[in-house]
Amino acid sequence: MRARNKQFFISVISLISIAGVAVGVATVIIALSVMGGFESMIRDKMLKSEGHIIIFGDGDKAFGDYQYLMKKIEGIKGVDASAPALVRQAYLQDEHGDNQMGVLIKGINPQLEPKVTGIAEYVHGKLTFDSPLIKTAQSMTSDTIFAGIILGKGVARRLEVSEGDIVRLISRLVETPLGGLQPVIRTLVVVGIYDSGMYTYDSSLAFLSLYTAQELYETGDSADRIEIKINNIYHADRIRRDIQMELGLSYFTMTWMEAHKDLFSAINLEKIVTFIIETLIILVAAFNITSTLIMLVMDKTKEIGILKSMGATKKSIWSIFVFEGTLIGAIGSISGTLLGIFLCWSLETWLPIRIPGTVYQVDRLPAEINWYFILLVNISSLLICWLSTLYPSWRASSLRPVEALRYE
């Protein structure tokens, strides 16, 4: 790297090798950090939008003893809180019927739900269905206002409504005295906008109070699921088994990992494939180290012969070239690590990259630095660089002094 003028070309190749290793290491760190950040952001938003464990009634039917069940569940070790929910499909349209769409209605208890999910963080303003906006809207329409409703951000955008606007909800069809079917329509007021940052939830969910949902769908005092928050999300399987033992086989339990198993399995597979593919970049840079050392051995043939004639051992000659190649790899790895960490930090602070939420579920490119992966990448890089030095080092140590000095 600091050669004389006649060896300038070798110095340039050495610097190119360092740059190649640095770029490879930085690329691996950035790719794994982005995928790790994507996984963490998706997981966190999912866990703030639904319970860590969900309990369903037998055959997905609503059950009326949910309050008794919640007391039993909250007595189990590891359970922090629980909340009932009633989930049904419905059809929404704006006041004039110009915009319409199907949604998933979730009836919640506004006092218990924030203890289990992050709905209070995602709703603009105060989480309440008894808003002054209802009285204001009632004075502006002749329809009877049934209740307040909280719409997902994507739902509100699709219907082109905002807080204080009137929407109409079609919950189900009922039979008329003449044998026909007619829709059950209720007039509601938008009292809040739900914005979790997850397109899947924001574009399909609408919230009613549990009492309103029970009245609307005529289910009585019942719920069709109980959502549970636990103190450690990675103990979900154990706690689920404890809950199942406590409640018996009449109820079906599902953890957040089971609910989203396919998604997280796909992300983990992509991380493994990405690591393998990006490591090939480091492998290509390692070939530069091999070629650099081969040229250096050819250029230093006379010097190697002189050292060996003075008593230098094969091991000492071998170690010289191994050290040089490993040094190139170490400098490249350290430089690449610093570059990768800096770029990841930039993505999280002053250089955010916006991406379409409709495709990727999140609206920006996240980057979560995982020091375990950084250590793994550096160990892999140094190992590859060390392996690339073995052949040229062996060739240098195998030179015979007579052959090296024959033409000198």
Side-chain angles (χ1 to χ4, degrees), residues 173-176 178-183:
L173 298 176
V174 295
E175 188 174 352
T176 64
L178 298 178
L181 295 176
Q182 67 178 14

Side-chain angles (χ1 to χ4, degrees), residues 93-150:
Q93 61 183 21
D94 63 8
E95 184 178 8
H96 304 291
D98 298 329
N99 301 292
Q100 309 171 24
M101 67 176 297
V103 296
L104 200 62
I105 296 293
K106 184 177 182 181
I108 62 172
N109 184 314
Q111 284 75 43
L112 298 179
E113 187 72 13
K115 298 179 181 179
V116 176
T117 67
I119 186 172
E121 302 175 26
Y122 296 147
V123 174
H124 298 169
K126 187 178 180 182
L127 177 60
T128 178
F129 295 97
D130 186 17
S131 170
L133 294 173
I134 297 177
K135 292 183 179 180
T136 303
Q138 183 65 79
S139 64
M140 299 174 62
T141 180
S142 58
D143 294 350
T144 300
I145 303 296
F146 185 67
I149 186 172
I150 296 173

Side-chain angles (χ1 to χ4, degrees), residues 3-211:
R4 295 185 295 273
N5 290 335
K6 66 177 183 177
Q7 298 169 338
F8 177 74
F9 181 71
I10 295 177
S11 298
V12 172
I13 296 299
S14 298
L15 293 174
I16 292 174
S17 300
I18 291 174
V21 174
V23 170
V25 170
T27 303
V28 177
I29 289 174
I30 293 170
L32 292 179
S33 296
V34 167
M35 296 196 70
F38 180 79
E39 180 182 10
S40 296
M41 183 176 286
I42 291 290
R43 183 186 62 240
D44 293 345
K45 287 184 178 295
M46 282 181 173
L47 294 179
K48 281 190 174 183
S49 299
E50 58 188 47
H52 302 163
I53 300 175
I54 302 176
I55 300 175
F56 301 95
D58 185 20
D60 289 340
K61 295 180 180 179
F63 44 91
D65 55 348
Y66 65 88
Q67 295 180 355
Y68 169 73
L69 295 175
M70 287 168 56
K71 290 182 180 179
K72 295 181 67 175
I73 291 167
E74 291 175 1
I76 297 174
K77 183 179 179 180
V79 175
D80 283 345
S82 62
L86 187 70
V87 179
R88 293 287 189 273
Q89 293 182 335
Y91 201 72
L92 276 178
Q93 61 183 21
D94 63 8
E95 184 178 8
H96 304 291
D98 298 329
N99 301 292
Q100 309 171 24
M101 67 176 297
V103 296
L104 200 62
I105 296 293
K106 184 177 182 181
I108 62 172
N109 184 314
Q111 284 75 43
L112 298 179
E113 187 72 13
K115 298 179 181 179
V116 176
T117 67
I119 186 172
E121 302 175 26
Y122 296 147
V123 174
H124 298 169
K126 187 178 180 182
L127 177 60
T128 178
F129 295 97
D130 186 17
S131 170
L133 294 173
I134 297 177
K135 292 183 179 180
T136 303
Q138 183 65 79
S139 64
M140 299 174 62
T141 180
S142 58
D143 294 350
T144 300
I145 303 296
F146 185 67
I149 186 172
I150 296 173
L151 301 181
K153 181 180 179 181
V155 176
R157 183 184 296 118
R158 176 79 177 272
L159 296 177
E160 298 181 1
V161 296
S162 58
E163 293 182 40
D165 289 343
I166 291 174
V167 295
R168 289 187 172 85
L169 182 146
I170 302 174
S171 59
R172 64 191 192 280
L173 298 176
V174 295
E175 188 174 352
T176 64
L178 298 178
L181 295 176
Q182 67 178 14
V184 176
I185 303 175
R186 294 291 184 269
T187 301
L188 308 172
V189 177
V190 180
V191 296
I193 302 296
Y194 176 82
D195 183 9
S196 68
M198 280 282 290
Y199 178 79
T200 301
Y201 297 107
D202 296 343
S203 63
S204 61
L205 277 180
F207 298 89
L208 294 172
S209 72
L210 180 61
Y211 174 77

Side-chain angles (χ1 to χ4, degrees), residues 203-326:
S203 63
S204 61
L205 277 180
F207 298 89
L208 294 172
S209 72
L210 180 61
Y211 174 77
T212 300
Q214 291 170 344
E215 184 180 357
L216 183 63
Y217 289 95
E218 297 182 351
T219 62
D221 187 16
S222 62
D224 56 15
R225 64 179 63 184
I226 297 174
E227 299 189 6
I228 301 167
K229 181 181 180 181
I230 58 179
N231 54 21
N232 190 325
I233 61 173
Y234 298 107
H235 293 167
D237 282 331
R238 177 186 61 79
I239 297 174
R240 180 188 66 81
R241 288 194 296 268
D242 293 342
I243 293 173
Q244 195 74 68
M245 290 287 291
E246 181 69 25
L247 300 184
L249 300 178
S250 299
Y251 303 94
F252 175 72
T253 58
M254 177 183 291
T255 66
W256 67 273
M257 292 179 285
E258 293 171 331
H260 306 288
K261 180 180 179 180
D262 293 340
L263 173 62
F264 290 110
S265 295
I267 292 176
N268 288 330
L269 179 60
E270 288 177 1
K271 288 168 70 174
I272 295 172
V273 173
T274 299
F275 177 77
I276 294 173
I277 293 175
E278 299 294 346
T279 302
L280 295 177
I281 300 176
I282 302 176
L283 188 61
V284 171
F287 286 130
N288 286 336
I289 296 177
T290 302
S291 61
T292 300
L293 294 179
I294 289 175
M295 288 188 291
L296 190 61
V297 170
M298 296 173 61
D299 186 71
K300 297 292 185 179
T301 299
K302 179 182 72 172
E303 286 80 356
I304 294 171
I306 293 173
L307 286 173
K308 297 198 74 173
S309 66
M310 293 172 64
T313 63
K314 284 186 175 183
K315 183 178 179 180
S316 62
I317 299 296
W318 180 84
S319 63
I320 289 172
F321 289 92
V322 169
F323 175 78
E324 181 173 351
T326 305

